[in-house]
Amino acid sequence: MKLFKYAIMALFMPMMASAGEAKVTWLDFKEYRDVFPAKETRGGYHKRIAKQFDTHLNKLASDMPAGYTLAVTFEDIDLAGDVRFNMNDIRIIKPIYFPRLKITYSVTDKAGNVMVEAKSKVLKDMSFMDRIKFGRDTEFYYDKRLLSDWFEDEVTPVFGTANK
């Protein structure tokens, strides 16, 4: 019985381990370049974008050491694709409508020291459709991949030095 309790605790231990966290700040969605919905209300679409991006950034931040904080402010958003307004409002995904995000970010450690930061960093992927697509059926796939690539290239290397 005691062994069973330890086995259960061992299974849930990784879930209880604290990791980094993400704090996301949104400006007025009406001011962003391209966050137009196809077949839903603007308010609902904007909430869905915020929820999807918040969840994705928190997932990325979970790879950071415990106590670290990733603060991201979205200054501008131009989602992959373009909405065509006609009888059937749809978002057309073509290579000329590449995703572009303008962010300000910082990563702070447990003590509040800034490890890395950037103001008005423009993220874009002009060849977003030329790469292999894993999970392309997920919402905002190309935009999330852009964030993942940025995190891997600019944020993750900080932890290689932080853990030594």
Side-chain angles (χ1 to χ4, degrees), residues 24 48-49 54 84 89 98 113 132 141 145:
V24 183
R48 193 158 53 96
I49 291 170
D54 285 347
R84 295 290 178 214
D89 297 343
F98 56 90
N113 300 320
I132 296 173
Y141 170 77
R145 185 174 70 186

Side-chain angles (χ1 to χ4, degrees), residues 25-61:
T25 304
W26 299 95
L27 303 180
D28 186 4
F29 272 87
K30 293 175 186 170
E31 300 298 320
Y32 291 147
R33 183 177 303 186
D34 177 19
V35 288
F36 301 112
K39 288 192 172 240
E40 64 184 290
T41 64
R42 281 189 185 210
Y45 189 63
H46 295 167
K47 286 178 186 174
R48 193 158 53 96
I49 291 170
K51 182 179 179 188
Q52 289 287 322
F53 281 36
D54 285 347
T55 301
H56 188 67
L57 285 168
N58 274 298
K59 180 182 172 192
L60 293 173

Side-chain angles (χ1 to χ4, degrees), residues 28-152:
D28 186 4
F29 272 87
K30 293 175 186 170
E31 300 298 320
Y32 291 147
R33 183 177 303 186
D34 177 19
V35 288
F36 301 112
K39 288 192 172 240
E40 64 184 290
T41 64
R42 281 189 185 210
Y45 189 63
H46 295 167
K47 286 178 186 174
R48 193 158 53 96
I49 291 170
K51 182 179 179 188
Q52 289 287 322
F53 281 36
D54 285 347
T55 301
H56 188 67
L57 285 168
N58 274 298
K59 180 182 172 192
L60 293 173
S62 70
D63 291 338
M64 298 187 322
Y68 278 62
T69 302
L70 170 67
V72 178
T73 299
F74 285 93
E75 295 179 5
D76 195 15
I77 299 174
D78 187 353
L79 297 173
D82 191 41
V83 175
R84 295 290 178 214
F85 299 103
N86 55 26
M87 290 178 65
N88 298 314
D89 297 343
I90 57 173
R91 181 167 285 274
I92 305 290
I93 306 291
K94 288 185 176 181
I96 61 171
Y97 305 124
F98 56 90
R100 183 179 357 201
L101 304 170
K102 185 176 178 184
I103 63 171
T104 294
Y105 74 93
S106 67
V107 176
T108 54
D109 64 8
K110 297 178 209 183
N113 300 320
V114 176
M115 303 300 292
V116 64
E117 69 178 343
K119 304 255 189 256
S120 298
K121 173 84 175 167
V122 176
L123 311 175
K124 61 184 173 181
D125 186 359
M126 296 175 77
S127 60
F128 74 105
M129 293 189 76
D130 296 337
R131 299 192 304 175
I132 296 173
K133 302 168 185 87
F134 296 109
R136 68 177 180 259
D137 294 335
T138 61
E139 288 186 298
F140 310 109
Y141 170 77
Y142 297 111
D143 312 287
K144 289 180 190 176
R145 185 174 70 186
L146 184 59
L147 287 170
S148 295
D149 291 347
W150 155 76
F151 187 84
E152 183 178 321

Side-chain angles (χ1 to χ4, degrees), residues 5-17:
K5 288 180 184 177
Y6 288 126
I8 296 296
M9 284 179 54
L11 283 173
F12 289 105
M13 196 63 106
M15 291 181 221
M16 297 184 325

